[in-house]
Amino acid sequence: MSDITLLDGGMGQELIHRAGDRPTPLWSTQVMLEHPGLVSEVHRDFTQAGATIATTNTYAIHRDRLVDTDVADRFADLLTMAIAEARTSGAARIAGAIGPIAASYRPDLHPDADTGAPIYAEIAQMIAPACDMLLCETVVSVTHAESVLRGAAAGDKPVWLAVSVDDRDGSKLRSGEPLSAILPYAQAGAAAVLVNCSAPEAILPALEILAQAGIPYGAYANGFEQITEGFLEAKPTVDALTVRNDFTPDAYADHAMAWVDQGATIIGGCCEVSPAHIAEIARRLKAAGHTIV
């Protein structure tokens, strides 16, 4: 039996469901301003469900995403707010989330590594002091991996690299590049490597490749049918995505336990994974004799 780190679930989608507001391009950032305390509530619910890590609500807080909004001058303030909310979670550890520059799933919009690394470094230095590790999420290309790992190193905390793969072929990044191409970067700059925000069915083939890095590995999938063309437009909102109707806690836990059987020691959930999903995974892990750490 293994020691398993249980991540939390999908903060952004959970906030949208609870707030009842129409989603905006600012995603969960706007919710912190309009519904104070709701992020803390979600964090606590994930911890009570069994998650041992609270992931900060900082994924979408980038200077470029705030341009032309009424919070463009509140970059540092928003990061501080998100970290403060995470610290109310009761979780054993805090992971500082760093999402993609420009947009999710858009390797074509990502800058080159020399341009991107300083952007990620600024965020890493601002959030790392309050975090136990930095979680670089939804990394979709080799350039993105190089950029964010170089930048996150400035935070002087362990860095976990989470890549997003093709939903139909887990051996490829969303850029179309082979997943194996990120291994040298992960080995040089990451303490763990994961697959995130991908279809559950794509995870096992990806884990077979990530296992070759020789560092802890794992996964946290999403519950969307597919990444739609509408979502790949400028300033998308999540209502362009459709939730799978087979995405029950039982069904998702089946996938998660298969990842553990394959050797994953870090598991959790991304978009549409609720506290109920995490609670079922926690129950299954304990029943199988694993220790949640």
Side-chain angles (χ1 to χ4, degrees):
M1 297 301 101
S2 304
D3 289 344
I4 305 296
T5 296
L6 184 53
L7 299 170
D8 48 10
M11 172 63 74
Q13 291 299 98
E14 192 67 18
L15 287 171
I16 288 167
H17 295 320
R18 297 188 188 200
D21 297 344
R22 182 177 176 82
T24 72
L26 284 180
W27 288 41
S28 51
T29 306
Q30 193 75 32
V31 178
M32 289 195 298
L33 302 171
E34 297 179 354
H35 300 275
L38 190 56
V39 170
S40 291
E41 176 187 300
V42 174
H43 278 309
R44 288 192 294 270
D45 287 351
F46 277 124
T47 300
Q48 290 170 9
T52 54
I53 290 183
T55 306
T56 61
N57 185 37
T58 50
Y59 176 94
I61 303 177
H62 278 285
R63 290 191 186 278
D64 67 284
R65 297 204 186 193
L66 302 180
V67 170
D68 296 328
T69 73
D70 57 5
V71 292
D73 61 345
R74 299 190 65 179
F75 176 67
D77 183 33
L78 289 167
L79 290 173
T80 300
M81 288 171 61
I83 290 169
E85 301 253 32
R87 298 194 71 81
T88 71
S89 65
R93 289 176 287 173
I94 304 294
I98 302 178
I101 297 167
S104 296
Y105 319 120
R106 293 294 303 272
D108 56 311
L109 298 182
H110 198 282
D112 63 77
D114 287 340
T115 302
I119 296 171
Y120 290 122
E122 180 188 25
I123 297 171
Q125 290 171 321
M126 293 174 77
I127 67 176
C131 300
D132 297 286
M133 77 277 293
L134 297 174
L135 181 56
C136 304
E137 298 193 283
T138 321
V139 173
V140 295
S141 70
V142 174
T143 295
H144 187 174
E146 179 185 358
S147 301
V148 75
L149 286 171
R150 280 171 52 183
D156 199 27
K157 288 288 175 73
V159 177
W160 291 6
L161 179 70
V163 300
S164 186
V165 297
D166 187 308
D167 290 329
R168 300 169 191 82
D169 184 353
S171 71
K172 296 179 180 178
L173 294 164
R174 289 197 183 271
S175 63
E177 298 166 296
L179 176 58
S180 59
I182 65 99
L183 293 180
Y185 298 96
Q187 291 167 323
V193 62
L194 306 101
V195 192
N196 85 300
C197 216
S198 307
E201 292 81 4
I203 299 296
L204 280 176
L207 291 180
E208 291 177 6
I209 295 169
L210 297 187
Q212 300 169 26
I215 56 179
Y217 63 94
Y220 52 116
N222 69 32
F224 296 134
E225 286 188 358
Q226 62 178 338
I227 305 306
T228 66
E229 290 300 319
F231 193 77
L232 298 178
E233 296 174 355
K235 293 189 178 296
T237 57
V238 291
D239 51 357
L241 302 174
T242 303
V243 182
R244 295 166 59 141
N245 37 14
D246 62 348
F247 202 68
T248 64
D250 279 344
Y252 187 63
D254 287 343
H255 287 289
M257 295 306 294
W259 306 336
V260 171
D261 290 343
Q262 198 271 355
T265 58
I266 306 167
I267 59 173
C270 205
C271 307
E272 292 296 347
V273 174
S274 70
H277 291 80
I278 297 300
E280 178 59 19
I281 294 172
R283 187 191 71 77
R284 299 270 196 104
L285 288 170
K286 292 173 184 175
H290 299 290
T291 302
I292 300 174
V293 297

